[in-house]
Amino acid sequence: MWVFLLMMSLLLCPVAASTERPDVKPASCQDKCGNVSVPYPFGIGEESCAMNDDFFLKCSSNDEGHTELLFGTIPVHNISVLEGTITVSIYTAFDCYDETGSSTKSLSHSVTLGSGPFMFSDTRNVFTVIGCDTRAWMTNYDLTYGAACLSLCTEYVNISDGNPCSGSGCCQTSIPKGLKSLNISTYSYNNHENISDFNPCGFALLVDRSSLKLSDWPLSRYPENENDAYRTDVVIEWVVKNETCELAKANQSAYACGTNANCTYPEIGQGYRCSCKEGFEGNPYLQDGCQGKLIISFL
């Protein structure tokens, strides 16, 4: 006789209360700006809602009347506590010419993240240049870093997602770790004189690899008016403070990690972040933000 025995054991770690815990500090702080969540250590509204001034963001209405979350003057689309990133939108540099080779419009672009704990992600972003007569430069403000990309072609190239940027119609290069400022400019060898009918402009952009669709950047692309500057998503990484875990823990009054959270080092090689210990989840920057998971096992 076969005997079937089913045993179910529930391993119950401490769990959060039935009421959803706020992801802000204190609980009365605003947790959203428009449709963008603003988790602690970031804060809006009152400065006390952020860990410090570096993480205090602005929530305001733009020219179209839409609510917008701003990092300085840069629109923010997403904040990830788990990945230690914020995704922002920055302008694209470009230069355009007519069939006579005369410049019709151009835009160079500069961004600085300041002296705080923010830097452009070297793993998520890529410097990309698009055009048939386009060279572009990207430097930092201190001129301790510089990169260039050259893209040439004499006939229309179908810029598609499956084709690599190899220098014909499109060029790409990486950026270094720790980059905190950038200045992007575009130039032309022959002012697009022989190619302006299918490629009137050259573009240079820093962009999140995962959001870049090359098919959205055909060689025929042209800003319709002087105020029509394209934007791309860019990922900024952040740390709590540029110091070691040992130093951070030594000053408990300023230590950022809450209960059941570990102090960790990000791959960017600067500063520390916090993460929930194994078996816990939530916001590690709140004092009781890491709560136990409910684990069900069948034996």
Side-chain angles (χ1 to χ4, degrees):
M1 181 178 63
W2 291 93
V3 178
F4 296 91
L5 180 62
L6 175 64
M7 297 180 63
M8 181 178 73
S9 82
L10 296 178
L11 303 179
L12 184 61
C13 295
V15 295
S18 57
T19 302
E20 184 178 355
R21 300 183 64 87
D23 207 18
V24 292
K25 180 183 179 180
S28 58
C29 289
Q30 189 177 344
D31 64 352
K32 274 195 172 185
C33 177
N35 60 358
V36 182
S37 296
V38 186
Y40 193 78
F42 293 88
I44 53 177
E46 300 292 335
E47 291 187 9
S48 59
C49 292
M51 179 179 292
N52 53 49
D53 290 344
D54 290 327
F55 293 93
F56 184 64
L57 305 179
K58 183 179 180 182
C59 183
S60 63
S61 296
N62 59 22
D63 294 338
E64 289 76 34
H66 301 301
T67 302
E68 195 171 47
L69 182 63
L70 298 174
F71 174 76
T73 60
I74 308 172
V76 178
H77 299 313
N78 179 265
I79 300 175
S80 173
V81 168
L82 181 63
E83 297 179 354
T85 61
I86 60 175
T87 301
V88 301
S89 179
I90 69 171
Y91 286 117
T92 296
F94 62 84
D95 60 337
C96 301
Y97 303 86
D98 62 21
E99 63 276 3
T100 67
S102 299
S103 177
T104 57
K105 60 188 69 177
S106 64
L107 176 70
S108 296
H109 189 53
S110 300
V111 179
T112 180
L113 304 181
S115 58
F118 302 94
M119 60 217 75
F120 294 103
S121 174
D122 63 297
T123 57
R124 296 280 299 274
N125 301 312
V126 61
F127 183 43
T128 303
V129 173
I130 297 171
C132 280
D133 181 22
T134 304
R135 51 180 174 161
W137 306 88
M138 186 169 71
T139 61
N140 64 351
Y141 279 12
D142 297 329
L143 296 180
T144 57
Y145 157 76
C149 221
L150 173 64
S151 177
L152 298 173
C153 44
T154 57
E155 59 184 11
Y156 187 83
V157 176
N158 185 26
I159 306 295
S160 65
D161 301 325
N163 292 333
C165 282
S166 57
S168 179
C170 180
C171 175
Q172 288 183 327
T173 190
S174 60
I175 66 171
K177 290 181 182 294
L179 187 65
K180 299 176 72 67
S181 63
L182 59 86
N183 190 336
I184 302 177
S185 300
T186 56
Y187 304 91
S188 170
Y189 280 112
N190 296 307
N191 299 335
H192 290 240
E193 285 189 31
N194 300 319
I195 57 172
S196 61
D197 57 332
F198 64 86
N199 179 223
C201 305
F203 294 89
L205 44 142
L206 184 67
V207 60
D208 176 13
R209 295 175 187 270
S210 65
S211 70
L212 176 62
K213 290 187 63 177
L214 290 174
S215 56
D216 288 340
W217 293 87
L219 293 177
S220 58
R221 194 167 191 176
Y222 186 83
E224 292 300 326
N225 57 66
E226 295 294 339
N227 296 320
D228 184 15
Y230 300 113
R231 286 181 179 268
T232 56
D233 283 347
V234 172
V235 178
I236 295 172
E237 296 196 53
W238 52 271
V239 295
V240 177
K241 194 174 182 181
N242 192 13
E243 64 182 13
T244 65
C245 289
E246 288 73 19
L247 284 175
K249 292 176 181 178
N251 183 5
Q252 284 295 313
S253 62
Y255 183 50
C257 303
T259 305
N260 299 317
N262 289 322
C263 182
T264 61
Y265 293 115
E267 291 184 4
I268 52 179
Q270 298 185 34
Y272 78 94
R273 292 186 190 141
C274 304
S275 63
C276 290
K277 294 179 179 179
E278 185 175 358
F280 295 83
E281 61 184 3
N283 188 329
Y285 299 96
L286 295 172
Q287 183 56 39
D288 297 313
C290 292
Q291 297 294 309
K293 300 178 183 178
L294 176 64
I295 305 173
I296 300 177
S297 64
F298 295 90
L299 300 179

